[in-house]
Every structure is written in structure tokens, then in C-alpha cells.
Amino acid sequence: MGRMISQLVLPFHLLLMLGVSLASLNDHRYNIGDEVPLFVNKVGPLNNPSETYQYYDLPFCQPGELLPEKESLGEVLNGDRLTNTLYQLKFGAEKDGVVLCHKKLDQNDVSKFRAAIIKDYYYQMYFDDLPFWGFVGKIEDELWTLDGKGPKYFLFKHVQFDVLYNGNQVIEIHALSDPSNVVDITEDIDLNITFTYNVRWNETSIPFKNRMARYSRALAKPVNHQIHWFSIINSIVISVLLMTFFAVSMMQRLKNDLRKWSSGDEEEDKEVGWKYLHGDVFRCPPNMPLLCAVIGAGTQLLTLFCCLFILAFLGVLYPYNHGTLLTSLVIIYTLTSAVAGYSSASFYSQFIETGWERSVTFSAVLFLGPFLLMQFFLNSVAVSFGATLAIPFGTILVIILVYTLIAIPLLALGGIIGNRRRSEFQAPSATKKCAREIPSLAWYRKTPGQMFLAGLLPFSAIVVELHQLYSTLWGYKISTLPGILFFMFIILILLTVTLSIGLTYIQLTVEDHEWWWRYVSIWMFLCTNHS
């Protein structure tokens, strides 16, 4: 119950989190012989980072009483399950051949370990808030076995911890398995195994503030920097070419219209192309509540991304900062509900005086509803497999209470403010009572064709960086360059705006005045597929 109460007040700790995250870097100081916190976290196959299980799901040496570490909301959503362990690593104290435990493995335990080795399982631990990994075992192929009867499966029963320190602070840690200190678990037989470990301490000159840099060394290689620069140059070239093409097309169109207008022929109809639509183009769009909800939800997501970039630039979000990213996502999405309510209500009230409540209600469920349905399905799968990504019932209850007690009131407050501060929409020309008939259009001028074109160009501009981002979300790569991500985000917005204006203009030139929904659909298609 105390854990649930602590999670309920998470939204009110946002400012504290922003201020303390950087200050906490100076708290990890120890004297010789002090116990340094070490926790086991999870295990999982190397080829699927999203599939993780609790560390003690495998029959490792367990302490007498399992004491799960209290975790933040973001850590729980991230699938972290930190638990105490029998390993004892004291600051500056070297150990050699320490017996962790004497373990008797029955056939079922041996089978679990062998299945984990076949799937190339790794384990993750945290030492002084530093994550590190090791492998459960190894496979010797048939070509490498002496008897030629392979493959054989070996379980690592010895771990060597190599720790680097600077002064009285821990800088780095590695877990190394001894390939010669293994036990053969190829056969389903009972085994008595003695698990041991060593601890080595070595001094380093790396400052404490740079101890997280090793997790991004792979990105510091020249090849990766070249890929990032290639991505940026590619995006700039596409953006410049697209904007140039758009500007030249617009200038040519306007020159033709002005030439017809100034031809001096009194009998010629002066209204050409899009000028026919001045009485229909500002007509109130259909399905107004849903349209305003789309605008409100999109504005909220845009605000969310901007806030995340600000946190990244402030140094609050960095690799392996325990669940801070997901905690920030939940908190910021909750607080920006007011933005969604304000945007949807203010736009709706420009056209219609009453009924703005429906648009605010739709904006509350337009994005969150499908997301929760998808999450419910994934969570059900995770629960059935016993994965750590399965969200506990208590955490689900906390999220529901936070959204009910904070997000919904903020959404309603934003809607009320947006309605009261509304400004009546002033169309530059009178709207006709009857809408003009739209001529039949070619397939490439209809909404699906335009959405495909509008999605293809921005995607080609950010595809390299998008691959890096997906590798960070569902792989082992770490994105430590928020500046490049922000630059690509700006390019994406510029391309989206340019394409939306250009495609809307092309639509109006063929006398299609129903531009509201197409403009919004193109915008949301780009945002949801690339952001």
C-alpha cells in the first residue's frame, strides 16, 4: 500500500526530479569497506530485448528472503525488477574464489538453464546505479567438441567482477565469465554445482560525471558519426529541393493567374481555378467535434515531444537513468492534457458556440483509447509468458487514478479556458448556402494518393535517424545525441508544413473545397508515422 501511495504523488515530484537528477551525481561516495548497492534485474534472449524475465526465474543462487527494490513508475513500465542478491561487493575490497552458494540442480533446473543457453540468454545487474551484463552460458558446436557428438551446453559457474574507481566513487564495472570454469548441462541429470565469484578493483582517471559515456562509445566511432552526418545532409538536400520545387510551382501558378486577370478581356471570367471557391473554402467542416479532437490530440503530442527535448538538453534524460524517460512521458502527457482541451475547445468555439464539450471528450480518448487497447493486448501476452514487461495491477490502478484525478480535470480546465477565450472566425468572404459540386478527380489527387506522397518524402529525409531511434527503442543501441534528433524533428515539421500547404493548394486548384479534413489527415498521418 505504501508503494502505491508513493507512486500516486509522482506527478507532484516532477520539479523535484528535474532539480535532483543532476545533483544526485555527487551522492555516490564510499569509504573503503562500505557496502556498494548491487541488485540483480532481469534475464532475456539477446536477439529480443523486449522479452525479459525476472532474474530468479532461472534457478540461480537465491538469498534466504527476496527483497524487491522499490521502483518508480517508469522503472516498472520499463520492465525493471531489481532484487537483492547473495553477491557482496564492498568498496575497494578484492575477493578471490568466494563461494556464492552450493546449488543442487534437478533435471527441471538443468532443462531451464539449457533452454536459456540455447536462446543466448543474458542477465542484467545494477551496481551503484550502473547497469552491466553477462551471459548465462555458452554452446560448443559439434566441430569444436572432442568426441564429435555435439553440440554441448555449458553453464558459467564463475563470475569475475572488474570494477574501476576514481577516488571514492565507482566509475565502471564489468562481469566476465570464465570459459574454462563451466559445467556441462547437455544431459538431463541432477547436478551439484558450486557457484563462485572474484572481485577486482582498479583505479582510473575517468571523472565521475563521465562514467555513463562508455554506454555510448559505439556511437562515437567515426562510421556512426558519418552515418549521422549523411542523414543530416540527406535531409537538408531533400528539404531544400522540396521547398524550391514548391516555391517555383507557386510562383508559376500565380503568374498565370495574374496574367489572365490583367489580360484586359472584359468578357473573360476573371475567376480561375481556386478563385471559384471563395464562397465554399471557409465553410464549416463536417464532423467538427472529431476534427477539433484530432487537432487537440496532435497539439498535445507536439507539446509532449518539445518537453522531452527540453529535459534531454537539461541532462535529466540520459541513458539508463532508471525509468526517467517513461516517468517523464506519463507525467508530461498528464499535465499537457490542458493543452489538448484548450486547443480543441478554442478551435471548435470559433465556428459553433455550443457543443465544445464533445470535442474535448473526443480529444481525451482519440489517442489514449487505441493506445490503451494495444497496451492491454501486449500486457496480456506479457502476463501469459511471465515477462517483466507485464504491468502489475497496482501500477495499472495508479495510472488510472492519476489520469482520473489529474488529467481529466486539466483537460476540462483547458476546454473551459479555450471556450471563454474563443475568437469568432471571420471569413474573408461570404459563404454560399449551397456547396459547390466537386468535379471528379484522378486517383492521385484523392486523399490516399496525397497521403502516400506526403508520407514518402519526409520518410526518405529521416529514414536513417528513424532507424537509429527504433534501434534504441527495441534494440540495444543507445541514442545519446538529442541535438541531432531535435534537428531532424525540426526538419520533419518544416517538411510537413510545406507538404500540407502545397497539397492543399493543389487540391484547391482542381476546385475541391473540402480541404479541412484532408489537411488534418495528412498532418496527423505524418506526425503519427514519423514522430
Side-chain angles (χ1 to χ4, degrees):
M1 187 66 182
R3 181 174 177 179
M4 291 178 57
I5 295 176
S6 65
Q7 289 182 347
L8 278 173
V9 298
L10 275 174
F12 305 104
H13 289 170
L14 178 60
L15 294 179
L16 292 177
M17 182 184 69
L18 298 182
V20 173
S21 294
L22 294 178
S24 64
L25 296 177
N26 299 320
D27 298 337
H28 302 265
R29 299 181 181 275
Y30 306 94
N31 296 320
I32 298 297
D34 286 350
E35 190 79 26
V36 183
L38 172 65
F39 300 98
V40 296
N41 188 16
K42 51 192 177 183
V43 295
L46 185 64
N47 61 350
N48 187 8
S50 299
E51 182 187 356
T52 55
Y53 306 94
Q54 296 192 39
Y55 181 84
Y56 292 117
D57 284 350
L58 292 180
F60 288 113
C61 297
Q62 294 188 18
E65 181 182 4
L66 296 182
L67 301 174
E69 182 72 3
K70 292 183 178 180
E71 298 172 339
S72 66
L73 178 61
E75 290 175 315
V76 175
L77 297 178
N78 194 44
D80 291 334
R81 301 293 185 268
L82 274 65
T83 313
N84 60 322
T85 178
L86 290 174
Y87 291 106
Q88 293 183 355
L89 277 67
K90 296 183 178 181
F91 189 85
E94 295 198 352
K95 297 182 178 181
D96 190 10
V98 178
V99 175
L100 183 66
C101 75
H102 299 282
K103 185 78 173 181
K104 182 177 181 180
L105 301 181
D106 56 25
Q107 296 183 14
N108 185 40
D109 294 336
V110 171
S111 178
K112 286 183 179 179
F113 271 126
R114 186 169 61 250
I117 295 173
I118 292 174
K119 295 181 180 180
D120 204 13
Y121 266 43
Y122 70 95
Y123 59 82
Q124 184 189 50
M125 300 183 183
Y126 273 89
F127 180 72
D128 191 37
D129 285 341
L130 288 175
F132 63 97
W133 300 263
F135 285 97
V136 175
K138 66 174 183 176
I139 303 177
E140 283 194 0
D141 206 353
E142 182 178 355
L143 298 176
W144 297 94
T145 56
L146 297 177
D147 56 4
K149 298 178 180 179
K152 289 187 176 296
Y153 306 98
F154 295 94
L155 174 67
F156 293 133
K157 61 179 183 178
H158 179 81
V159 180
Q160 176 169 319
F161 298 99
D162 286 345
V163 188
L164 300 180
Y165 69 97
N166 186 350
N168 58 355
Q169 294 175 312
V170 176
I171 304 300
E172 193 171 316
I173 183 172
H174 300 272
L176 305 176
S177 301
D178 187 357
S180 60
N181 200 342
V182 296
V183 58
D184 189 350
I185 59 171
T186 306
E187 303 293 335
D188 284 331
I189 56 175
D190 295 344
L191 294 173
N192 292 312
I193 302 177
T194 301
F195 291 91
T196 59
Y197 67 98
N198 294 346
V199 183
R200 296 287 181 267
W201 290 81
N202 296 286
E203 194 169 4
T204 181
S205 59
I206 301 175
F208 182 82
K209 64 180 181 179
N210 295 335
R211 71 174 188 164
M212 301 302 296
R214 81 177 184 95
Y215 298 105
S216 58
R217 285 173 186 168
L219 296 178
K221 296 180 179 179
V223 174
N224 290 281
H225 273 301
Q226 292 175 4
I227 292 176
H228 281 294
W229 280 112
F230 171 77
S231 174
I232 293 175
I233 295 173
N234 176 59
S235 302
I236 293 176
V237 170
I238 292 179
S239 303
V240 171
L241 290 177
L242 180 61
M243 293 180 184
T244 303
F245 173 76
F246 171 72
V248 171
S249 301
M250 287 288 291
M251 291 297 295
Q252 187 66 30
R253 288 274 188 174
L254 292 176
K255 284 182 180 180
N256 293 336
D257 289 349
L258 291 175
R259 188 181 302 112
K260 292 181 180 180
W261 183 268
S262 60
S263 61
D265 188 357
E266 297 291 340
E267 297 181 356
E268 184 179 355
D269 192 352
K270 299 299 186 296
E271 294 184 344
V272 292
W274 52 270
K275 295 179 182 178
Y276 279 118
L277 307 178
H278 63 82
D280 297 298
V281 71
F282 296 109
R283 187 181 304 279
C284 181
N287 298 323
M288 192 65 180
L290 185 58
L291 178 68
C292 296
V294 172
I295 295 175
T299 306
Q300 182 182 9
L301 293 178
L302 183 63
T303 307
L304 171 65
F305 294 141
C306 293
C307 292
L308 290 178
F309 278 119
I310 292 174
L311 293 181
F313 291 140
L314 291 176
V316 176
L317 303 180
Y318 58 88
Y320 294 106
N321 187 6
H322 288 249
T324 305
L325 176 59
L326 291 179
T327 302
S328 302
L329 279 171
V330 174
I331 294 175
I332 296 174
Y333 184 82
T334 301
L335 297 179
T336 53
S337 298
V339 176
Y342 178 85
S343 301
S344 59
S346 61
F347 188 81
Y348 182 93
S349 299
Q350 293 183 36
F351 295 88
I352 306 174
E353 294 184 0
T354 60
W356 59 269
E357 297 86 354
R358 292 181 59 195
S359 66
V360 174
T361 304
F362 287 159
S363 64
V365 299
L366 187 64
F367 170 78
L368 194 62
F371 175 80
L372 290 180
L373 288 177
M374 179 184 66
Q375 188 61 40
F376 174 78
F377 172 75
L378 295 177
N379 194 66
S380 301
V381 174
V383 169
S384 64
F385 282 92
T388 60
L389 288 178
I391 304 176
F393 176 76
T395 303
I396 296 176
L397 182 61
V398 167
I399 295 175
I400 293 175
L401 290 177
V402 167
Y403 190 78
T404 304
L405 300 178
I406 300 178
I408 292 180
L410 287 176
L411 186 73
L413 178 63
I416 294 173
I417 297 175
N419 179 57
R420 291 183 177 180
R421 300 189 61 180
R422 67 182 182 273
S423 58
E424 186 178 353
F425 179 74
Q426 298 291 340
S429 60
T431 303
K432 297 179 180 179
K433 293 183 178 181
C434 298
R436 185 184 182 88
E437 183 179 356
I438 300 174
S440 69
L441 303 175
W443 65 269
Y444 57 86
R445 293 186 182 273
K446 296 181 180 179
T447 302
Q450 291 193 1
M451 290 179 65
F452 174 77
L453 178 63
L456 179 63
L457 294 176
F459 177 79
S460 60
I462 66 171
V463 59
V464 177
E465 198 62 33
L466 197 63
H467 175 267
Q468 179 69 32
L469 180 61
Y470 288 161
S471 298
T472 302
L473 294 176
W474 296 304
Y476 294 100
K477 290 186 178 181
I478 304 173
S479 180
T480 57
L481 302 173
I484 292 182
L485 284 177
F486 180 74
F487 183 79
M488 303 301 292
F489 181 68
I490 296 300
I491 289 179
L492 176 63
I493 291 179
L494 292 176
L495 284 174
T496 303
V497 171
T498 303
L499 283 168
S500 299
I501 295 174
L503 293 176
T504 302
Y505 175 77
I506 293 175
Q507 177 185 352
L508 295 179
T509 57
V510 295
E511 303 178 14
D512 183 0
H513 56 80
E514 295 181 351
W515 64 277
W516 289 98
W517 267 106
R518 187 172 301 186
Y519 177 83
V520 173
S521 63
I522 290 174
W523 175 270
M524 291 304 298
F525 174 77
L526 290 169
C527 290
T528 54
N529 281 275
H530 301 312
S531 298

